[in-house]
Amino acid sequence: MTDFSQALANLRRPGLLIRAARHGQHGYDRKRDLKRITRGDDIPAPERAVKRLMDLEAELEYSRRSHDAAYSPARHVETLIALMAEARALFTRGPVAV
């Protein structure tokens, strides 16, 4: 779990993205949003969700930095919202069997 916490602590993103994601936390619904955001068939455990969301967010960050025309700020924000919420769930619950 220290790998996740270290990676999250090292994330550096524009303040506007982070503020938007923090603001969107109240509307996050794991059952409704996680499958759509991760584009998966099931709702993964928080540890798997954080790993998948970190990978997705890294791809979005690469697109943002490379000025890719397909970059979606809205998708980036919703991914950060889910990442923040899932990380909170992971770190408050402790280790989760995967």
Side-chain angles (χ1 to χ4, degrees):
M1 183 157 21
T2 57
D3 293 339
F4 288 141
S5 59
Q6 186 65 27
L8 289 170
N10 290 333
L11 278 181
R12 298 290 178 253
R13 300 298 180 256
L16 184 59
L17 279 175
I18 299 302
R19 284 191 303 275
R22 284 185 183 144
H23 183 71
Q25 290 290 299
H26 74 278
Y28 178 73
D29 181 334
R30 184 173 211 277
K31 289 180 181 178
R32 180 192 65 209
D33 299 328
L34 194 55
K35 280 178 30 175
R36 178 181 49 80
I37 293 168
T38 60
R39 297 181 176 149
D41 293 331
D42 60 347
I43 299 174
E47 188 170 296
R48 281 190 179 167
V50 168
K51 181 176 180 355
R52 176 70 179 129
L53 290 164
M54 288 176 69
D55 291 343
L56 288 171
E57 196 282 330
E59 292 172 15
L60 288 162
E61 179 63 8
Y62 178 80
S63 292
R64 183 185 72 80
R65 287 180 173 258
S66 62
H67 305 286
D68 186 346
Y71 172 71
S72 169
R75 176 128 175 91
H76 202 163
V77 169
E78 72 183 5
T79 302
L80 284 169
I81 289 169
L83 179 57
M84 289 176 177
E86 293 299 319
R88 183 179 303 119
L90 178 63
F91 296 130
T92 58
R93 286 168 65 180
V96 176
V98 181

